[in-house]
Amino acid sequence: MQRRAGGRAGPLPAAIGALCRALPLGSRPAPDTFRLAKFDRPQASPELWRLLYSLLKQIHEGGCTKSDTIDTQIRFVKSVLRYHGYGRPEFYQLPSDGSVGSRELLLAFSWLLHRINLLEQLLSVNRVKIRDETSLCTCGDNLLKSWKGMTELAPEHGLKNEVDIRYLQWLNGRLRFQWRSLHVDYQEQCKLLYKIHVYTNGSHMDQTVGHFSVTETDLIRQPDNYKQLMQLLESETSRLEAFLEWKQLEPVYWQWMIKGRERELLDEKEFSEAIGKIHKAVELKLSELKYQCAHKKNKMHGPCRLVFKDKHPASKMGFGRSRAKEALMNVSASELINELRMKEARLEKELKQLQEECRHKLTEVADGMDSVICIPPMKR
Amino acid sequence: MVPAGCARRLVSILNRALEDCAEQRRKLDHSLNQCQALLGDCSLIVPQCLSGTQSRPGSRFLLKIHVPESPKLEVSTKSEENEPAAKELEELELLTRALEKVLRVRKSVLETPLQTVGAAEGEKTSDKKPAAKASITEQVPVSKESIPKTIKVTSLSKKPVTSKKASAYVLKAPYRTDLDVKRSHRKAPAQQSSRIPRVAVKGSTKGTSSQQAKTNVPVMGRKVIYAAAGSQQACGSPRSPLCKEQSFAFGDSTNHENSGAANLQLANPEKNSPGSLAESLVTQNPMAGDIPEWSPTPQTCTLWEKRSLLKLPPLYRKTYSRNSRLWETCCLCQTSAAAAATRNHFVERIQTTFCPSTPTISPAEIEEEINVLHDAYSLLSHRFKAENTGHTTWQSEYECLLTLEGLQTTVSQCLNKLQQLRRAAESQGRLQACCIGDAGCPSADCTPFRGQQCGNMSVLAVPLLYYSSLQELRDITALKLQVAMLCQKINIQKVMITELLPVLEYRLHHKDSVSHLYRAVYTLLCEGGERFPVLLHTRVF
């Protein structure tokens, strides 16, 4: 059975092994599954469906509901693949009992590996939470509320056909109160976090950070509670090692994927032609990207780690190793604050404008009411 | 009843927003508890001053009291600042002295009626108590009104009056030295409203009882309340005055010989500096027959005091360093050229087998582009408005004209892109039907998927956000919350416009009386629910 790429016996199993070990615990397939899938053996199909389902769930929703039936799982995987632009009709025609199609699944999996940087995303999403984090952008808040609110019209049970306007006012007031309490709670948390950071400043062995996070402080206080954390860290370390190994052995895997599909071998000319085409396509894409970037500030997104650094450090704390890639992305709080202030100002303007428009409309309505004059409240 | 028609969508949005808030608060509560446990795990010995911190109405203070096994002095409070102020220590000193003086007075008081056992003593102590209490009671209502914040203090304290003479004193029944009164561990969660809880004082003159008490004292500035209560339920401790506004914890876990323990209560309000938060200091004295000391012997240290000794466990340190080194390496790791080439080759080949009508742009990319366009829109509209200011010179006007023209070209480019995206989205819908066709799976089954993350998740590095002061951290948090809240408000406003205005117009059209409805709608739509307009009837008779 052809298993070799380039005439050697070793690298392919090693590559696939590294790939499997780089996947998160709980979603790891047996390396043999890949081999079976290459030859389209049906017994590999259910496992590959499960694999795709659990990996994609982790990336997109951060959680796995194992109770989903195979049917639901398959539908989910198909919709995600469509979302990312996968267009093989054979894949979408696979039956929803998951009995056949392991080869198609292998193709889809490999395509995803490249297309969405599957491994990197999984590593990011499953990062062990030992740091104090916050996010640099406010996208998370928007996403939840804007989608949910506007599109669903599900009637509330218990709601009569007519709603008293005072009920709406009351709900509105409650919401405002909740926001205020939330604000207070958050400010409280800031104080506590700051204290912990300041108190533990200088005690961390990582020089670029210098102080402990909440989890680390808790770790000192109750070392026994953290066996699981240590285990998770260990497993993350081994996953990172496997990832590096995979990066070394990647070409073997891709060779193997191509080899089975077509019968021809790559020769030099075709190879360089392919390379040339790729270069052109990439250039085209990049120029478009540059254009797009011209209209948009390079905003930072996503989670970041919160680090306290005294402006006037009295201690001898140095900078330690400089992290080349990360240093470019380090953000100072004042930058973020400025950005947030500008965004806040924009949004306030928008809200005020909407309210102004409403005022105009309502003034018109008031004109329509006879024998009633409306005196708007005093402008602050 | 002022009906507002079927505003179902609005109601469901508001309810969902409320649920979101509640969930966030729950999470926050959890993390707050954890942080507080870390900071004030052990008792804080040194009173920490609270000053200069911005206080908003409703900010809360948590006091955690830990009951040690042995009756040592215990002080617990919540600190807001790192350093105890010199002034605070001074005050503490003064209070200590005052307390000692009172104790001496007490002792002498106890000694004199030693001969007249029983009732007299009881009277005295009971007299003292209401008097003392009365003074506190007075303050409480006064301060209650003026302060929006409250502090709940669980005072577990006792003040044994121990002297050789006192120990020789034998109480007659029904007075009994309480043997097994235990201190109680009481958590005092803070409340945001200023109310005083009614805690029943389970006092009894017989038998052992443990009294638990909460003293909810609204404080302004630096009122420090010291409450020391004796273990003895001396004779007919008047329950009614006790129960009214305050109650005291009687805790005594040792020293059975201790007799004649007096109830002492001292309240020492001070003038405050506005805006500073108060602390309450609760002390307990060790029993064991010695002169009550004010200086505590700490059992455990706070995070503050331990800070130079903190060390992470060695196993963790090793794992952490290995881990962070690996992360670094992974970040810097690049795909080798050979791997990239073969990989792209594979991808190309597989893409040739895609359904021919597959558009080049996937739904994921469409979403990304939409976000870009959305931001571009707000930027552009912002710039447009900025350019519409009046111009004095022809140069500035010309400049404005050119800028507007440039903006216009950008706008048309964006609109073109929008058209492209729309076409791509439509063809995606058609593709769905095409690819599914044979398998017989209806298109309704494959529900369209929407992405939920932001930014580039495949970047392995997590950036560091450096902040250098508490104010910065608070600003960030406050601003983030404000932005989220404004977004939500805008969404709600838009829904309100579509749902409420038609109702108003409909009713007006039908000549119903709309004054109430109008007023309510005006408030909601134009003032964010905060202020009301005034409606005047001008019917001329």
Side-chain angles (χ1 to χ4, degrees):
Chain A
M1 180 171 38
Q2 271 281 23
R3 237 208 258 189
R4 299 158 195 218
R8 284 175 297 149
L12 184 63
I16 295 185
L19 177 61
C20 291
R21 273 179 293 122
L23 292 173
L25 268 177
S27 315
R28 271 183 211 170
D32 209 37
T33 315
F34 285 88
R35 186 180 60 85
L36 291 171
K38 193 74 188 327
F39 295 97
D40 208 13
R41 296 278 183 267
Q43 55 265 44
S45 312
E47 192 166 344
L48 280 174
W49 277 120
R50 267 197 301 272
L51 172 71
L52 280 172
Y53 175 72
S54 99
L55 294 180
L56 291 175
K57 263 284 189 181
Q58 281 179 42
I59 290 180
H60 283 290
E61 286 169 31
C64 248
T65 36
K66 288 258 164 33
S67 55
D68 279 354
T69 57
I70 188 80
D71 196 36
T72 329
Q73 292 184 4
I74 290 180
R75 254 184 283 143
F76 176 77
V77 172
K78 283 184 181 172
S79 62
V80 176
L81 275 167
R82 168 160 333 285
Y83 175 75
H84 286 291
Y86 190 66
R88 265 182 76 81
E90 293 87 340
F91 170 76
Y92 293 103
Q93 289 162 4
L94 287 176
S96 43
D97 57 355
S99 51
V100 294
S102 53
R103 188 138 176 260
E104 281 302 319
L105 290 173
L106 181 63
L107 288 174
F109 175 75
S110 311
W111 184 83
L112 273 179
L113 263 186
H114 157 74
R115 177 70 167 188
I116 59 173
N117 294 317
L118 189 66
L119 281 181
E120 285 88 337
Q121 285 214 34
L122 286 169
L123 285 173
S124 292
V125 158
N126 289 318
R127 203 186 283 259
V128 178
K129 304 234 182 299
I130 51 173
R131 308 161 180 90
D132 292 327
E133 289 197 351
T134 181
S135 72
L136 284 174
C137 59
T138 49
C139 302
D141 310 322
N142 265 340
L143 288 171
L144 281 174
K145 282 137 197 173
S146 55
W147 285 123
K148 280 188 192 172
M150 310 294 274
T151 54
E152 288 161 46
L153 278 171
E156 303 263 317
H157 28 252
L159 201 64
K160 303 182 280 279
N161 272 337
E162 296 230 312
V163 174
D164 192 339
I165 188 91
R166 286 173 299 182
Y167 178 60
L168 292 174
Q169 285 178 299
W170 178 74
L171 280 179
N172 201 26
R174 262 188 78 196
L175 189 60
R176 273 171 42 225
F177 179 71
Q178 287 280 21
W179 278 107
R180 257 187 270 154
S181 325
L182 204 56
H183 173 98
V184 165
D185 287 349
Y186 268 116
Q187 294 289 308
E188 185 71 21
Q189 193 194 38
C190 283
K191 273 188 237 167
L192 297 177
L193 207 59
Y194 173 73
K195 274 214 203 111
I196 292 182
H197 288 180
V198 166
Y199 290 178
T200 60
N201 217 357
S203 313
H204 204 284
M205 63 269 179
D206 185 351
Q207 292 283 346
T208 52
V209 179
H211 60 79
F212 295 165
S213 69
V214 172
T215 318
E216 286 167 343
T217 318
D218 208 16
L219 179 65
I220 295 184
R221 192 170 79 102
Q222 300 175 324
D224 303 323
N225 286 356
Y226 282 90
K227 286 202 179 66
Q228 204 195 20
L229 182 74
M230 298 302 295
Q231 279 170 4
L232 286 174
L233 268 180
E234 289 284 337
S235 109
E236 188 181 78
T237 315
S238 50
R239 262 183 289 136
L240 289 170
E241 284 168 347
F243 175 75
L244 287 171
E245 209 184 309
W246 155 258
K247 278 301 202 188
Q248 297 279 350
L249 297 169
E250 242 192 300
V252 175
Y253 177 82
W254 295 114
Q255 278 277 18
W256 177 65
M257 287 300 301
I258 298 174
K259 196 159 182 258
R261 284 198 30 76
E262 330 277 347
R263 303 294 161 187
E264 59 216 57
L265 293 164
L266 287 171
D267 56 289
E268 281 297 312
K269 188 157 175 279
E270 204 184 312
F271 187 87
S272 54
E273 260 180 42
I275 299 270
K277 253 196 279 180
I278 292 171
H279 277 290
K280 282 207 199 94
V282 166
E283 243 183 75
L284 195 63
K285 238 203 293 190
L286 276 183
S287 67
E288 210 184 299
L289 194 71
K290 279 186 203 149
Y291 163 78
Q292 287 164 14
C293 283
H295 286 293
K296 174 180 135 133
K297 273 197 296 202
N298 252 332
K299 281 208 268 197
M300 305 273 297
H301 277 274
C304 65
R305 182 174 185 178
L306 202 55
V307 174
F308 169 70
K309 190 166 73 137
D310 213 340
K311 262 200 191 123
H312 312 285
S315 64
K316 48 168 162 52
M317 218 175 14
F319 259 94
R321 305 181 297 263
S322 61
R323 302 196 176 161
K325 202 163 180 180
E326 276 187 4
L328 290 172
M329 299 196 311
N330 286 349
V331 183
S332 83
S334 36
E335 282 171 38
L336 184 59
I337 289 179
N338 283 337
E339 249 186 71
L340 286 173
R341 284 224 169 96
M342 291 197 298
K343 186 155 189 194
E344 184 196 13
R346 274 206 302 270
L347 288 172
E348 284 235 31
K349 262 199 193 151
E350 195 183 332
L351 184 64
K352 287 262 156 20
Q353 195 203 355
L354 281 172
Q355 289 182 341
E356 245 340 283
E357 283 172 20
C358 290
R359 236 178 243 121
H360 282 303
K361 281 202 196 122
L362 283 174
T363 323
E364 285 172 23
V365 171
D367 291 338
M369 296 195 308
D370 49 342
S371 78
V372 174
I373 300 180
C374 171
I375 304 179
M378 297 267 290
K379 285 232 162 47
R380 285 215 180 147
Chain B
M1 270 285 286
V2 185
C6 307
R8 281 201 211 118
R9 205 154 63 124
L10 193 52
V11 171
S12 78
I13 287 184
L14 286 171
N15 278 327
R16 206 159 312 179
L18 281 167
E19 278 166 24
D20 281 340
C21 272
E23 198 184 302
Q24 278 191 52
R25 285 192 73 189
R26 274 197 294 271
K27 283 194 207 146
L28 255 188
D29 259 342
H30 177 78
S31 105
L32 276 177
N33 283 337
Q34 192 191 23
C35 287
Q36 271 154 356
L38 289 175
L39 278 172
D41 174 41
C42 335
S43 14
L44 281 175
I45 308 308
V46 182
Q48 317 249 313
C49 86
L50 322 156
S51 60
T53 50
Q54 279 280 351
S55 53
R56 283 183 57 105
S59 33
R60 49 188 199 169
F61 306 85
L62 252 172
L63 279 175
K64 270 194 182 173
I65 313 284
H66 286 257
V67 182
E69 288 74 36
S70 62
K72 288 285 175 84
L73 192 74
E74 184 182 339
V75 169
S76 99
T77 175
K78 181 161 160 110
S79 71
E80 300 293 315
E81 281 287 317
N82 311 348
E83 316 277 347
K87 196 158 177 234
E88 292 293 321
L89 291 172
E90 217 180 282
E91 287 165 10
L92 187 56
E93 198 47 46
L94 288 168
L95 283 162
T96 315
R97 274 189 243 135
L99 203 53
E100 281 174 21
K101 196 166 160 198
V102 172
L103 280 174
R104 268 179 264 134
V105 167
R106 271 233 154 244
K107 262 190 257 174
S108 58
V109 158
L110 277 174
E111 275 161 47
T112 38
L114 257 177
Q115 290 78 24
T116 63
V117 173
E121 166 64 21
E123 276 166 28
K124 283 259 165 30
T125 51
S126 60
D127 282 343
K128 272 213 167 59
K129 264 204 295 223
K133 278 191 191 58
S135 61
I136 296 203
T137 318
E138 286 168 18
Q139 297 156 22
V140 168
V142 163
S143 41
K144 179 179 161 187
E145 273 81 50
S146 46
I147 325 288
K149 342 182 251 298
T150 64
I151 291 188
K152 263 199 200 170
V153 174
T154 303
S155 49
L156 304 172
S157 55
K158 66 155 310 304
K159 174 133 297 295
V161 176
T162 52
S163 66
K164 303 227 167 59
K165 286 198 182 157
S167 52
Y169 173 67
V170 175
L171 281 175
K172 273 206 215 155
Y175 317 112
R176 196 195 302 192
T177 53
D178 277 331
L179 310 184
D180 304 312
V181 175
K182 291 207 173 44
R183 285 188 220 118
S184 55
H185 175 204
R186 179 65 82 102
K187 233 195 225 198
Q191 303 291 319
Q192 291 187 358
S193 57
S194 59
R195 63 174 180 79
I196 297 184
R198 315 252 169 268
V199 177
V201 173
K202 307 175 239 148
S204 72
T205 50
K206 289 200 185 162
T208 63
S209 63
S210 70
Q211 279 199 345
Q212 301 182 0
K214 270 196 212 172
T215 306
N216 186 6
V217 184
V219 270
M220 176 157 79
R222 307 233 186 99
K223 282 193 190 161
V224 182
I225 308 269
Y226 287 80
S231 61
Q232 186 184 345
Q233 303 296 343
C235 34
S237 23
R239 279 190 219 91
S240 34
L242 257 178
C243 290
K244 280 245 178 64
E245 307 278 2
Q246 313 149 18
S247 33
F248 297 90
F250 293 73
D252 179 3
S253 56
T254 63
N255 208 331
H256 316 318
E257 287 82 45
N258 196 9
S259 56
N263 295 325
L264 181 68
Q265 184 180 308
L266 182 70
N268 203 343
E270 295 167 30
K271 291 297 169 252
N272 62 314
S273 49
S276 66
L277 306 165
E279 68 197 48
S280 45
L281 198 60
V282 172
T283 61
Q284 279 187 343
N285 284 329
M287 315 279 302
D290 38 321
I291 310 285
E293 293 174 357
W294 207 240
S295 53
T297 48
Q299 286 273 61
T300 42
C301 295
T302 66
L303 194 66
W304 164 250
E305 297 184 351
K306 252 186 173 167
R307 66 195 188 283
S308 46
L309 306 169
L310 291 171
K311 261 199 153 63
L312 289 164
L315 180 62
Y316 176 82
R317 267 187 287 163
K318 209 175 73 174
T319 319
Y320 179 91
S321 343
R322 226 171 99 216
N323 196 296
S324 48
R325 254 182 288 125
L326 277 171
W327 274 113
E328 264 188 52
T329 326
C330 288
C331 287
L332 299 170
C333 169
Q334 308 249 352
T335 315
S336 65
T342 33
R343 186 179 69 193
N344 294 333
H345 189 76
F346 165 77
V347 169
E348 248 195 16
R349 285 193 193 237
I350 204 177
Q351 273 175 199
T352 54
T353 67
F354 279 6
C355 203
S357 51
T358 310
T360 45
I361 182 164
S362 70
E365 288 167 332
I366 294 180
E367 257 189 39
E368 265 182 47
E369 296 294 333
I370 299 262
N371 284 337
V372 173
L373 278 179
H374 197 266
D375 292 336
Y377 163 72
S378 45
L379 276 174
L380 284 170
S381 58
H382 193 71
R383 290 299 300 276
F384 263 113
K385 290 204 184 92
E387 288 294 326
N388 276 339
T389 52
H391 298 281
T392 46
T393 61
W394 69 266
Q395 290 102 325
S396 63
E397 205 164 327
Y398 185 59
E399 190 184 324
C400 172
L401 178 68
L402 288 178
T403 319
L404 284 176
E405 277 178 11
L407 287 175
Q408 196 173 28
T409 26
T410 317
V411 165
S412 51
Q413 280 166 350
C414 289
L415 283 174
N416 280 338
K417 208 201 298 187
L418 190 60
Q419 289 284 32
Q420 282 176 13
L421 291 176
R422 194 172 287 161
R423 279 194 297 265
E426 280 166 9
S427 64
Q428 283 285 343
R430 283 196 298 272
L431 168 69
Q432 201 162 330
C434 149
C435 280
I436 296 306
D438 289 351
C441 165
S443 53
D445 263 12
C446 296
T447 47
F449 179 80
R450 280 204 176 111
Q452 283 183 11
Q453 352 117 275
C454 74
N456 195 6
M457 287 288 285
S458 57
V459 174
L460 284 180
V462 169
L464 305 178
L465 176 64
Y466 286 112
Y467 72 98
S468 55
S469 72
L470 177 60
Q471 194 53 41
E472 277 187 345
L473 191 57
R474 290 168 115 185
D475 282 343
I476 291 177
T477 319
L479 283 169
K480 278 231 197 99
L481 209 60
Q482 184 77 353
V483 166
M485 189 180 70
L486 283 170
C487 285
Q488 195 182 55
K489 273 191 184 168
I490 289 179
N491 281 339
I492 293 180
Q493 180 87 3
K494 288 182 183 161
V495 176
M496 281 202 289
I497 292 176
T498 49
E499 302 237 323
L500 294 180
L501 276 182
V503 172
L504 198 59
E505 282 159 5
Y506 175 80
R507 278 180 201 264
L508 204 62
H509 186 68
H510 285 245
K511 306 285 182 202
D512 289 342
S513 151
V514 288
S515 325
H516 298 288
L517 184 62
Y518 181 87
R519 189 162 167 270
V521 170
Y522 189 98
T523 312
L524 279 175
L525 281 181
C526 306
E527 303 293 332
E530 291 172 25
R531 289 181 294 275
F532 287 85
V534 173
L535 291 177
L536 280 183
H537 270 287
T538 60
R539 199 162 295 153
V540 181
F541 292 96

